[in-house]
Structure formats: structure tokens, C-alpha cells
Amino acid sequence: MTQPLKQSPKPATMAWCASEAAPSLLALGSSAHSAAGAFGDGASESSLDLVSFDLAKPGQNLDPVASVKTEGGRRFTSLSWGALGTDGPFPYGLLAGGLQDGIVSLWNPYKIATSQGSDPGLLHTTQVHTGSVNSVQFHPVKPNLLATCGGDGEVDILNCDNPSAPQMYKPSESAKTHQGSEVLNVAWNKKVPHILASCSNKGTTVVWDLKQKKEVISFQDPASRARCSDVSWNPEKPTQLLVAYDDDRQPSMQMWDLRNVKYPFKETQGHTKGILSVAWCASDPNLILSCGKDNRIVCWFNSSAGMELFCELHTPNTNFEVAWAPHKPSVIAASSLGGGVSLHSVQTQQTSGMKYCPSWYRKPCGVACGFGGKMLAFGRSTASASITGEKVPETSFCHSLVVPNEPEIVATADMFESWRSEKRLQEFCSQKVNISSGQADEGLMWNLLGLQFDDQGRTRLPALLGFDQERIEQEAERYLGKKPGSLMGPPPEEETTVAPSSSTKMLGPDLSDAGADDFFKNLAESTEQQRAADEAAALAAIAAAESTPVAMESSTNWSSGPESLIKQSLLVGNLTAAVECCFKSGRMAEALLLASGGGTTLWTRARDEYLRLQGDSFLTTVGNIMTNDFEKLVANSDLKNWMETLAIIATFSQDQYPALCEQLAHRLQSEAADIRSAVICYICAKNFSKTVGIWANTHVASARSNKLALQDLVEKMTVLQEVTRFNQADPLFNAKLTQYAELLANSGRLTAAMRFLTLLHDDASSTILRERIYNSAPMQMSQMFGRPPAQPWQALDVRVLYTPPAQAKAQAPHPHPAQSYQQPAQSHQQRQPMPGYPGQGVAPPAPAPPQSNSMMPPRPNYPGSAMPPAAPSMPNPYGGNMPGMPNSMGPPSSHHQPAPPPMTPTPAPPVPGGGMPPAPRMNSALPPAPKVGGCGPAPAPRPGGVAPPMPSACTPPGSMHGGMPPQPGLNQGYPGMPTAQAHAAPPQPVQPPAAPSPYAGHSPNPYGAAASSPSAAAGMMTPGKSTAPTASAAPVVDDMPVCWPLPTKTQQKGSTTRTTAEANAAIQSRSFGGSTQGDPMPENEVAHVRNVMTNLLDTVSAQENNPKKREDIAKRLEELYSKLVAGQIRNAASQKVLHLVSCLEAHDYAGANKTQTELCTIDWESNKNWLMGVKRLIPRG
């Protein structure tokens, strides 16, 4: 049984509220179909109940709202809720009920609900039919019309415009089809409002036309089924209707089209017993509900192929009515004969195989907003009907739009971007001056910013501050009566010295005798003429002097008092005393006059004394100007006259101008708290940070909104940065510019936003925004701004570690050595001494368990790791038992001795209980051990996967362990032993040349990436190819055993073969790469290296479009990063890597290539992999 969402135990007929004001409200009327109604139980009173539900609340019971009694205790046969007056006197609409005895009543549900049943809300009651009322239905389009049908075979129409006195009409005056039958149900056409359908218990369905007031058509089931229990119209197609038959033998639902009523065009049985009610979903015309006597509620999907099962609900009782919730499409209500009213959801009960999605999930329109102000809008567009009245098919649209998030700044931002792109910021400042004509401070600020673009703008600053030179000269001329400079007489003429010429060409040609006579005659005449002219000029001067008023003769007596002392000091040449006497006697002008002839020192002292004695602030300023002491001038200046001070330093200070402007600004800001005047001085000083700081604190108050204020601030900062060429990191500037760039980006101005972000220097807060803007249009951005920005996050390579089942089985831990290597007793009779021992021959290995053929036990960690217990010993060619090998002659040996220090040069002492290491059992298919470094064949490995040291042609017995046997738990394994040696076996008499590699399927190499590289794989090739090792053990550590089989560097000095020595040295160099060679590089520096390399790789890849090359370089660079983090690169090489990165940042590709070449000389063998990647990455400089 299907569990309902909510339920009411009261058997009732029901109706959903038609008003959107109460979408979860239902009306329940005591059903006449129940047992009490059928047998007329008077003890059970009939009522009209209003209930509601909230699916979020716990519990399954419907919440009662109100309840009223019906007149005469009549029970309901049908309920219908209409939308009449929902926007007027009936907020919840009208409720109509068909009751027993042919009564139809109208209620106002709003009054019942608000009064909680104290007001019955009954509007009208009348008898419409002589028998029972089987159905009442409000019109879905015209809610004032109510259709009723009853057991008297009549169909009636009530006009409820006046609910208290409705008018009743007949659909036809000559209706004869339903005569003698019981009309069971009626249904209004949802598209054509004047069409009505009714069905009877005789199987006849009639279609009425209320406009023509007659029957349009009638039809019956071709199979002669009787009792049409329900009828319903298609919500979308006006000519189609559904008829249900209450026939227990042949239940059926038939879909008819009135254009051809001979046969139904679609039919389904659906139920096993008679169908009592159907409901066509108004929200999705493809879904149909039906319920029947088989205790099932079925939702059908009306597909083109037929009726398909959408969902099925099993109930404990027979349901006689189902209805869709008008405002909650997926919810349905069902009334049963004995189980009350229950609510269900077709969404939660949908059949698993059904793929149909109901149309209420389909959105008629919608938008999706994206980064950059982009919006994708979709919806349906219905064109207007044509002139002929033909319906135009509905179409859909999908538009990509740019919708600015901040439309108030877009227009101004676009204009400013055009000024910037055209590099006309000086003209922009002039325009801002015109706009801010009413604000003196704002206009002065923009004037000053525009002045900074002019190289000679400093000379125009006094005029900008109100000190216009032309105006001052005009006022002086009016005061003097003459042009300034003419009152004091002409300036003294500078004497011109004519250099004597060494040549006589300037004197003319040499004179002859006759010419000389004429010369002297003319010379006398010219001399007389010159003398007469000089006398005339002297007379004119005397006349002029007589006409000029002469000042009164001074009455000063220079023969007594201080004047006499002044005169006497002058006569003896002591000008200093004369000047001081003048100052003492108050003769300032005479003191300055005398000092002017006494040299620079005396003049300077006299000038300073004169200014001190005067005590005038202006003269002090003049003195500071004359002495070039502008710092003192600014420090002592009156801040009320700061413009005068700024004009003075702009005119006279020369190179000290920026520092003096900043000094004046600091005084204005700290002493006078005049930040508006201070910012002018900071602009003159070109102090970017101070100016931006003041602007940021005052820009909000000068604009209408925060965003407009931010835009004005960014305009000022951008212009000031262009003027000052500021390229340092400033947190406030970065924050404001990033905030503004984000507003532009969200308004669709991505290019402008990126232009602003390029002004920032070393700003980490905007990296995410840069990355989003760049990747929103990477092609366009790369063409305009070059390489992509740095990634704002660190890329992590997240991979799923998956091991195939076969390999996982091979990697499983091996059983206990004592069990794995036990052999039958007869195996010792077949075992022969191992090769490489003095005086011993070569014998085939003993058989081994099958599992040991595929994998050797894992090598334990060394040193200090736990080891498995020793296996039983085996016979030793030197006598005694060898520890760690099976022996059928006695129990396992537990004798352990501490190992002496390695590489002891003393002879090997006797070995108690045995002298040689054990010879383990090996797979007979393994190839012979290779010769390495001129040594003999390698011995077979022991169970730990590591070959024991054995005496050979290059290593005497006992030298590897100080003459002592290997001790269990210590030298069961050696660090860094190559896989090729670990799986080596004694040489075989015959080896097939085409045998496959015996290492396929073995456990992964425990020695890192070296064994997986191509060079390492060469050590595990099939016979016929080189089996030389490509890696050796880690370098020798003090007080630890010497690695085998390669000689150490000390041993290598005695090598007689240069080729072997070089090969061994190369192998040891590669093996040394896994150890720490330098200090690990800090994470931030590694991240910086990664970002620079990644950006360059992205740029190169975009240009070359070679994915394989990119992948190869990326892998090589990953090795570089890992080595930098682990300290596996020498410090000198790490520093050169950082220098290489700095060269790449500065686009100094020649320097980068040079640094890369230098890196190739440092540990080339261990670093060549990533060095080749860097070389392929760097462009040629």
C-alpha cells in the first residue's frame, strides 16, 4: 500500500480551493457514498469542513480550519470550488455543493474560514433536481456559470452573478437524449466556453452548445458499454475528451475526437474493475488520473503511442473521486468509500522505467548570469496572429546579453577608457576642470594634474595659484607711471674687449707715400670735428642738469660723532669697522653701500645683519631666497599664505622643489589639518602614496554614491600614476583599483578592467580576478596583454592509485620465510655449492615453491628495520651450517654475533658454525648475472631480495663485512641495491636467446624513478642486450657497510679500465641524485619558479600549438620542482635557477639562455632531464 502524504479519516467528497490566496485549502463534504449516507444514518451528522496541509510539518493528519453543519443533515454527492469574486467580495471564491434530495447550495468559504465556523457562510440553497444531484461543476473560464446534473436525467445551468439569487437555465429546450436515464457527470470545455459535455448511466455522452441551446452531438461506446462514470475535456485540444466506464467486466477509458465520433481514437483498460473517476491535469495535458474499484489510483502518460503508466498508487479502499491540486501540480487528492480523503504525490511514486518529465518542471523562461556581466536568457516567443486569424506556431529564443551590474558607472567608464586608449589624459584633465567649475578645490586639483604633463608646467604654477606675472607688471606700471625698469636709468654697458689681431688685414692695405700724405691731412680734419661734437654734448648735458631739480645738499656733518669715525675708518681702508659703525648709528643704507665694495664676505655679513635688525617677515623670506635656504623658508612660513610659499619655491628652488613641496604638505596636514591644501602640495611633490591616501579618505563625501566616488578616485589615481610613473606596490592603490576593476568586469567591460589591473605591481589580491578575466576570452586577452597571468592557486596532481588485480596479488606480502623456503629432505642431496666460491663448481639451483617463481620477498628497510626470523641452515662448503637456509639435519641456528666494523683490513677470523653466506634457491629461468666493474658474476640473492656479498676477482672474501659472516637482522638487505642484481641467478649451461624478460609481473622497483626510466630498464632486458646497471646503491655512509657490486670512488682509483671507471662513476652520480645535495628551497620561491615557468610554457604552447612538446616539458619541469623542494640540487644550481627565473620575468632571454648553459656544467648527469626541458622552453634571445 502507498503511504499518503496527508489524510483525513472522514469519508467525504472534496474540492480544491480555486484561489491562489489559499493554495493548500480543501473543502470536505460528508459523502453520501459512505455507509452512513447510503443507509441514512441520522446519528451521523453531515458537515462541510475546511482543512489545510503543510507538508513540512510532521504527522499525516490534515489540519482542520473550520466546520459548519448542513441544513437538514443532507450529505454531499459532489463539491465544486469556483473562482468567482476572488478579486472582490469573495477572496476565496464560491463553494457549490450538490446534496441529497436534489439540493444545490452556495457558500462563502472565506467567511467560514475566517470565523472558524461560527459564520455558516451559506449564500443560497435551492432544489434543482427531483432526484439526487450527481455532479456540480463551476466553469473554469467563466466562474459565474455552474453546471449540475442529477438522477432525473436533467442538465441545468446556474448563473451565479448574484450568488444569493442565482438564475437557472436549460442547455436545450428540446433535450431528449438523456430522457429516462441518470446523468452521472458534466464537464466544461476548457477552450470553448459555451461547450458542455455530459454522460449518463446508459453509456451516452452528449455535447451541448449553450450558444445555440441544443445538443451538438452524442455518441456511445461501439462495444455497448453502459454507465459512463466520468467525462473530462483535453485542456489543450478543444475537440478531444475522455470518457470512463464503470464496467467491472470491461473497464475502459476512451479518448474521443469530435471530428470523428464513430470510434474512439485511443482506448486503454487500465483497471481490472470499473473506473469511477478521471481527471485531466491542467498543468500538463499529457498526464491523466484515474481511479477505480480495484483500489488503485493510476497516473497515465498520454504519449503518441498510447497510454503509458506514469505512476501507480495502491490504496486499501475503493476511491470514487480524484482531483489534481490546481496550485501544486504534483499533488493529488483522492476520496475513498471507507478510508477518507488522502493526499499523494505523483512525483515520489513515479515508475522507475518512465522517462517522461512533467511540464511543470519546464520553465517558460529563465536567465543564467555569468562572469563579465554576461547573461543568457531563454523563453518562448509567440508572434502576433496574422490578418487571416491563423495561429502562428510558438517559437523559443535564447539570447546572449551583456547586462552591466553597475549601469551608473558604465558611461563614464567607457569615456575614460577612450581617453586612456588615445593617450589624451591631459585633455581629459582640462575637461574635468570645465565640469568642476563650481568647485574651486576640485578645479585646482585637475588643473594641477594637467600641468604635470607639461615639461615647463612648473613655471606656470604661480599663475595657477593666482600670481599672474602680466597682471603684476601692469599694476606696477600704473604705480610707477613708467614701465618697470626705466625709472632707475639704463643698465651699465658691459665693456667689450677687442682682442688684438696678429694680422694687419683689419687695418687695411699698406699706404703709399702719396696715400700717407692724404691720411694725415684727413686725420687733422676729423680730430677737429670730433672735438667740436664733444663740446656740444657737454653743453647739452650742462643744460639738462640745470633743468633737473637737484636734491638738497645733505646737512650731515661727517667731521664729528660716529660719522667722523665712519669717515676715518673709510680713509684708512677698514671697511668692516665703517660698516659696523653705520649699523650702530642707524645708517642702514650707508652700511650696505660701503659693504658692497668690501667683497663677498663683507657683503654677506652686512646683508644678514641688516635683515636681523629689520625683523620683517617678508624681508626674512627675501633673505632666505637670496641665501637659497628654502627649507628654513618653508619651515617658518605662514601656513595661511601657503600658496605664496608654494609659488616662491616653484620660482626659485630649482632641484629642491619636490622635497620642499612635500615639506610644506606635511606641515599643512599635521599642523593646520588642511588636507585639501596638503594634497595640492603632495601632487606638486609627485608623492603618489600620500596623495592617494588623502583622496581615499575624502572621495566618498564628494560624490553622489560610493561607486561614483570610487570611479572619480580611480580616474585621479590613474592620471597621477601616469604623471609620476609610479610602479611600486601600494596596498591602498591596489585595493581600490582591484575593486573598481571588479565592478567593470561585472559590467561587461573586461578589457578596461584588465587595463587597470596591468597598472598594479606585485599584487596578490587581484590574481584571481586577473585569471578570470583572462580566461573569459583567452585569445583576445593574449593578443592585447601577452602571456596569461600567474595562477592564483597551486596546481595539485590528484590521481587515483589503482593497482591491477594481478599486480596486487604479486605485491602481497610473502609468507613467513621459514615456511616459504622449506624444502623436502631430498633437496639437500641435489643442492650443489654456489658458483664463485673457491674450488666449487656450478650446479643447477634447487626447486622452489611455485609462488617463489613470480616474486621474491620484499626487501626489509635498512638499517634498523625488523627482520623475519632466520630459516634453518644449510651445509656450507667451508664446514658448518649457513644461517638463514633450510637444513634437514638439525634445528634452525639461533647463533647471532654482532658485526665488526666494515672494511676492516685485518684477515678474516674463523666463522663459528659456518663460514659463508647462504645460497638461496632461485628460478632456473633467470639469466646469468652480469659482470659489473670488472667483477665476476654476482651471487644469487637471499630471501630478502638482496644478493649477499661474495668473494670474487675484485673483492676478496671477508672484505665486505670485515671478515665476519653476515649477521641475521643486519645485512639481510642493503640500501639501494638494484633490481637487476636482486633477481640475478647462477649462470645456466644453455639459455634460449629469445626468452622473455623474467621480470615481467614482478613487484615494482623499490628504488624510485631510476628503475622506471629507459636507462634503468636497460638492466632488465632479454639476453643479448646490455645488462649493465644504470643505478647503484646510495653513496657510502660512515660506519655502514659498503655498497655492492660497484666499487666506491676510493676503490675506483685503482681501476685499470678507464671505460669501466667512467661508467661506474656515471652510475654513482645518477644514484647520488636521490640524496640531499643542498638546502631545500622555500615554498614561496618554488611557487614563484613554478608560476614563471608555467606562464612561459602556456605562452610557448599557445604559439606553437604542440601538445606533445608541452606535455614533455611539463614533466621535465615537475622533476625540477620536486628536486628544489627536496634539496636534491646544489645550492649554487638553485641560485642560478632563481637568476634564470628573474631573467625570464624581465624578458631577458639572452641572459636566461646563458644561465641555462652555466647550469649544464653543474651535475649534468643528475639534472640533464629538467635542463633539457628548460632549454626547449626558453626562447632564443
Side-chain angles (χ1 to χ4, degrees):
M1 296 299 172
T2 304
Q3 188 72 18
L5 301 176
K6 298 288 182 179
Q7 63 182 355
S8 172
K10 176 182 178 180
T13 183
M14 51 80 188
W16 287 96
C17 178
S19 173
E20 294 183 1
S24 59
L25 194 63
L26 287 92
L28 306 182
S30 299
S31 175
H33 302 290
S34 64
F39 295 102
D41 187 1
S44 177
E45 296 182 351
S46 175
S47 62
L48 174 63
D49 301 324
L50 298 181
V51 296
S52 65
F53 67 93
D54 185 357
L55 297 179
K57 287 184 177 181
Q60 289 190 341
N61 293 330
L62 293 168
D63 301 325
V65 176
S67 178
V68 295
K69 304 296 182 181
T70 59
E71 292 182 351
R74 298 184 181 91
R75 292 183 172 271
F76 290 84
T77 56
S78 179
L79 270 177
S80 180
W81 203 322
L84 180 65
T86 52
D87 54 352
F90 309 111
Y92 288 173
L94 285 182
L95 188 60
L99 294 92
Q100 295 172 333
D101 302 331
I103 300 298
V104 175
S105 298
L106 300 178
W107 286 273
N108 183 354
Y110 181 76
K111 284 188 176 182
I112 299 175
T114 54
S115 66
Q116 296 183 354
S118 60
D119 187 344
L122 184 63
L123 298 175
H124 178 74
T125 297
T126 183
Q127 184 176 4
V128 179
H129 299 276
T130 56
S132 62
V133 180
N134 291 330
S135 178
V136 290
Q137 291 291 332
F138 272 109
H139 200 297
V141 180
K142 294 183 177 182
N144 61 317
L145 298 181
L146 177 67
T148 68
C149 64
D152 55 0
E154 296 292 335
V155 176
D156 295 308
I157 309 297
L158 296 180
N159 186 353
C160 300
D161 285 333
N162 183 7
S164 59
Q167 299 177 354
M168 188 172 65
Y169 302 94
K170 293 290 184 180
S172 176
E173 298 297 337
S174 59
K176 298 180 180 179
T177 306
H178 285 320
Q179 288 182 354
S181 63
E182 181 181 2
V183 182
L184 299 180
N185 220 317
V186 291
W188 292 99
N189 191 301
K190 297 176 177 59
K191 290 294 184 179
V192 184
H194 56 86
I195 300 297
L196 178 70
S198 62
C199 60
S200 67
N201 60 347
K202 292 186 177 180
T204 303
T205 302
V206 179
V207 178
W208 310 82
D209 188 341
L210 303 185
K211 185 179 292 185
Q212 301 181 20
K213 293 186 177 181
K214 65 177 182 179
E215 299 177 4
V216 177
I217 197 172
S218 63
F219 55 89
Q220 291 183 339
D221 175 33
S224 301
R225 290 185 181 92
R227 196 169 180 82
C228 296
S229 58
D230 203 356
V231 61
S232 180
W233 289 92
N234 190 321
E236 296 293 336
K237 299 179 180 180
T239 61
Q240 294 183 6
L241 72 164
L242 181 69
V243 180
Y245 294 93
D246 181 10
D247 189 340
D248 292 342
R249 294 175 301 174
Q250 294 180 337
S252 175
M253 286 190 303
Q254 296 177 349
M255 199 169 293
W256 295 77
D257 194 314
L258 299 182
R259 292 171 294 184
N260 183 7
V261 293
K262 293 182 179 181
Y263 298 96
F265 70 91
K266 191 178 295 185
E267 182 177 5
T268 183
Q269 183 175 359
H271 293 264
T272 58
K273 292 185 179 181
I275 301 173
L276 300 181
S277 177
V278 293
W280 212 315
C281 182
S283 301
D284 187 349
N286 291 325
L287 296 180
I288 300 172
L289 276 178
S290 67
C291 64
K293 297 178 182 178
D294 55 357
N295 297 359
R296 292 168 60 231
I297 302 173
V298 181
C299 180
W300 303 94
F301 167 49
N302 183 24
S303 66
S304 58
M307 304 285 282
E308 300 180 18
L309 188 66
F310 184 81
C311 76
E312 182 179 9
L313 308 175
H314 295 271
T315 59
N317 297 286
T318 299
N319 295 278
F320 62 88
E321 185 178 14
V322 289
W324 293 91
H327 308 298
K328 298 181 181 296
S330 63
V331 178
I332 62 172
S335 298
S336 65
L337 295 177
V341 178
S342 58
L343 304 184
H344 302 270
S345 173
V346 298
Q347 176 181 350
T348 59
Q349 302 296 330
Q350 185 173 346
T351 306
S352 60
M354 174 54 61
K355 303 300 183 181
Y356 177 71
C357 179
S359 62
W360 56 76
Y361 292 111
R362 186 183 305 119
K363 296 180 180 179
C365 59
V367 295
C369 297
F371 178 71
K374 296 179 181 179
M375 185 180 73
L376 200 65
F378 66 91
R380 300 173 182 173
S381 57
T382 304
S384 58
S386 61
I387 301 177
T388 59
E390 297 180 358
K391 185 178 179 180
V392 179
E394 193 177 71
T395 58
S396 61
F397 66 87
C398 184
H399 296 159
S400 180
L401 309 172
V402 176
V403 181
N405 286 12
E406 310 296 339
E408 59 181 344
I409 70 171
V410 170
T412 310
D414 291 343
M415 185 179 300
F416 183 61
E417 178 63 18
S418 65
W419 289 107
R420 285 188 62 209
S421 60
E422 296 173 6
K423 297 183 178 180
R424 298 167 54 199
L425 291 180
Q426 188 172 7
E427 298 180 20
F428 172 74
C429 294
S430 302
Q431 186 190 39
K432 296 293 287 187
V433 171
N434 298 332
I435 296 176
S436 59
S437 57
Q439 303 176 5
D441 294 338
E442 195 75 9
L444 176 61
M445 190 182 304
W446 282 111
N447 255 324
L448 192 58
L449 286 173
L451 207 64
Q452 305 302 314
F453 288 96
D454 193 353
D455 295 337
Q456 302 298 325
R458 179 174 155 188
T459 60
R460 295 163 49 194
L461 179 60
L464 193 63
L465 297 174
F467 307 105
D468 188 8
Q469 184 177 0
E470 294 182 0
R471 179 183 61 79
I472 296 173
E473 288 182 358
Q474 292 174 1
E475 292 181 358
E477 184 176 355
R478 284 197 300 270
Y479 174 75
L480 296 173
K482 294 182 180 180
K483 191 172 182 179
S486 61
L487 186 63
M488 294 184 296
E493 297 181 0
E494 298 181 359
E495 297 181 359
T496 58
T497 302
V498 179
S501 175
S502 59
S503 175
T504 59
K505 292 183 179 181
M506 299 299 297
L507 302 177
D510 295 337
L511 298 176
S512 61
D513 295 339
D517 186 28
D518 295 337
F519 169 74
F520 285 109
K521 185 185 296 184
N522 296 332
L523 179 61
E525 294 178 356
S526 60
T527 302
E528 292 177 358
Q529 293 176 358
Q530 184 67 31
R531 185 179 298 124
D534 292 342
E535 292 177 356
L539 293 174
I542 294 173
E546 292 177 351
S547 63
T548 302
V550 181
M552 295 179 63
E553 185 178 356
S554 175
S555 59
T556 303
N557 186 6
W558 292 96
S559 300
S560 63
E563 288 79 6
S564 175
L565 185 59
I566 295 171
K567 182 173 67 174
Q568 293 175 11
S569 299
L570 178 63
L571 293 178
V572 298
N574 192 348
L575 292 180
T576 303
V579 170
E580 290 180 349
C581 291
C582 288
F583 280 126
K584 182 69 174 177
S585 61
R587 293 182 175 273
M588 304 294 180
E590 288 83 351
L592 294 175
L593 179 63
L594 292 174
S596 65
T600 304
T601 303
L602 181 59
W603 163 252
T604 302
R605 294 175 59 194
R607 179 194 64 195
D608 295 342
E609 181 66 16
Y610 171 77
L611 295 175
R612 185 185 68 81
L613 293 175
Q614 290 296 321
D616 186 270
S617 60
F618 176 71
L619 291 179
T620 303
T621 301
V622 174
N624 292 332
I625 295 174
M626 298 178 67
T627 58
N628 289 331
D629 192 0
F630 294 103
E631 292 184 3
K632 187 175 181 181
L633 183 151
V634 173
N636 299 327
S637 63
D638 187 1
L639 295 180
K640 296 180 180 178
N641 302 322
W642 66 271
M643 287 189 178
E644 296 179 0
T645 306
L646 183 59
I648 290 173
I649 61 180
T651 305
F652 298 103
S653 63
Q654 298 180 359
D655 295 340
Q656 305 177 47
Y657 175 68
L660 295 172
C661 290
E662 188 165 350
Q663 181 184 357
L664 179 60
H666 179 71
R667 286 196 62 203
L668 288 169
Q669 186 177 7
S670 59
E671 299 177 19
D674 188 0
I675 57 176
R676 293 186 179 274
S677 303
V679 76
I680 299 296
C681 298
Y682 279 131
I683 293 174
C684 295
K686 294 186 177 181
N687 190 323
F688 183 83
S689 300
K690 292 286 187 180
T691 307
V692 169
I694 295 177
W695 279 341
N697 293 328
T698 59
H699 74 287
V700 176
S702 61
R704 297 185 300 273
S705 68
N706 291 341
K707 295 182 176 61
L708 292 177
L710 178 62
Q711 185 175 40
D712 182 69
L713 173 64
V714 170
E715 291 175 353
K716 292 177 182 176
M717 292 192 303
T718 305
V719 174
L720 183 62
Q721 190 199 37
E722 181 69 21
V723 168
T724 60
R725 304 295 179 184
F726 181 81
N727 60 352
Q728 302 176 9
D730 184 85
L732 184 59
F733 174 65
N734 293 354
K736 295 297 182 181
L737 211 59
T738 301
Q739 182 182 357
Y740 182 69
E742 188 171 2
L743 292 179
L744 290 181
N746 291 332
S747 298
R749 302 310 189 261
L750 298 176
T751 303
M754 198 65 173
R755 287 188 191 277
F756 280 110
L757 292 177
T758 55
L759 301 178
L760 304 182
H761 183 74
D762 292 340
D763 178 50
S765 61
S766 62
T767 52
I768 295 179
L769 183 60
R770 293 170 188 258
E771 194 269 342
R772 294 189 69 186
I773 294 176
Y774 188 92
N775 289 326
S776 63
M779 296 298 295
Q780 177 185 358
M781 294 296 170
S782 62
Q783 295 175 0
M784 299 181 65
F785 303 103
R787 62 181 183 179
Q791 292 289 344
W793 47 75
Q794 182 178 0
L796 296 177
D797 187 8
V798 180
R799 300 182 181 179
V800 178
L801 298 179
Y802 171 73
T803 303
Q807 189 174 355
K809 182 178 179 180
Q811 292 179 352
H814 201 274
H816 195 280
Q819 300 175 4
S820 301
Y821 292 93
Q822 288 181 356
Q823 293 181 347
Q826 63 270 19
S827 62
H828 296 286
Q829 300 175 3
Q830 301 172 359
R831 182 176 301 279
Q832 299 295 331
M834 292 298 296
Y837 290 83
Q840 303 298 325
V842 178
Q851 59 270 22
S852 64
N853 293 339
S854 60
M855 186 188 74
M856 296 299 295
R859 176 183 60 86
N861 294 328
Y862 181 83
S865 61
M867 296 298 296
S873 61
M874 64 169 290
N876 193 333
Y878 294 105
N881 294 332
M882 296 178 60
M885 294 303 295
N887 187 354
S888 61
M889 301 302 295
S893 173
S894 60
H895 182 73
H896 297 273
Q897 290 186 358
M903 298 299 296
T904 304
T906 58
V911 180
M916 290 304 296
R921 295 167 294 127
M922 293 298 296
N923 188 355
S924 60
L926 296 177
K931 286 187 178 182
V932 180
C935 299
R942 61 177 58 196
V946 179
M950 296 187 63
S952 63
C954 60
T955 304
S959 64
M960 299 298 291
H961 299 282
M964 297 296 294
Q967 301 299 320
L970 175 63
N971 44 10
Q972 288 282 338
Y974 294 87
M977 187 63 63
T979 305
Q981 305 300 326
H983 296 282
Q988 303 298 318
V990 178
Q991 181 67 33
S997 174
Y999 305 101
H1002 280 218
S1003 61
N1005 190 356
Y1007 309 108
S1012 61
S1013 62
S1015 60
M1020 297 184 292
M1021 303 295 287
T1022 57
K1025 297 183 180 180
S1026 174
T1027 58
T1030 58
S1032 70
V1036 178
V1037 181
D1038 294 339
D1039 300 329
M1040 298 298 291
V1042 179
C1043 35
W1044 182 92
L1046 292 181
T1048 63
K1049 291 183 178 179
T1050 303
Q1051 296 171 335
Q1052 192 66 41
K1053 294 179 180 178
S1055 175
T1056 57
T1057 306
R1058 180 178 179 183
T1059 303
T1060 304
E1062 291 178 353
N1064 291 341
I1067 295 172
Q1068 290 169 342
S1069 176
R1070 285 196 295 272
S1071 301
F1072 193 77
S1075 61
T1076 301
Q1077 301 186 31
D1079 298 329
M1081 184 176 287
E1083 294 183 2
N1084 59 334
E1085 293 184 0
V1086 176
H1088 179 61
V1089 173
R1090 180 187 294 271
N1091 290 338
V1092 173
M1093 294 291 189
T1094 304
N1095 292 339
L1096 183 58
L1097 179 60
D1098 293 340
T1099 303
V1100 172
S1101 301
Q1103 296 173 354
E1104 298 182 358
N1105 193 19
N1106 190 344
K1108 292 185 177 180
K1109 179 180 178 181
R1110 173 189 172 87
E1111 183 179 0
D1112 178 69
I1113 296 177
K1115 289 182 179 179
R1116 294 174 184 268
L1117 293 179
E1118 286 297 330
E1119 178 182 339
L1120 169 63
Y1121 307 146
S1122 62
K1123 287 190 173 184
L1124 291 175
V1125 172
Q1128 295 176 0
I1129 297 180
R1130 299 184 188 274
N1131 292 338
S1134 299
Q1135 295 301 320
K1136 287 190 178 294
V1137 170
L1138 294 177
H1139 182 262
L1140 184 144
V1141 169
S1142 62
C1143 292
L1144 293 178
E1145 283 188 300
H1147 300 281
D1148 182 12
Y1149 299 127
N1153 280 298
K1154 181 180 178 182
T1155 306
Q1156 194 271 343
T1157 304
E1158 295 173 355
L1159 280 169
C1160 292
T1161 62
I1162 305 176
D1163 296 335
W1164 164 254
E1165 287 296 332
S1166 59
N1167 297 333
K1168 64 180 179 180
N1169 188 31
W1170 62 265
L1171 281 172
M1172 290 301 297
V1174 173
K1175 179 178 179 62
R1176 298 176 64 187
L1177 181 63
I1178 303 175
R1180 295 184 179 179

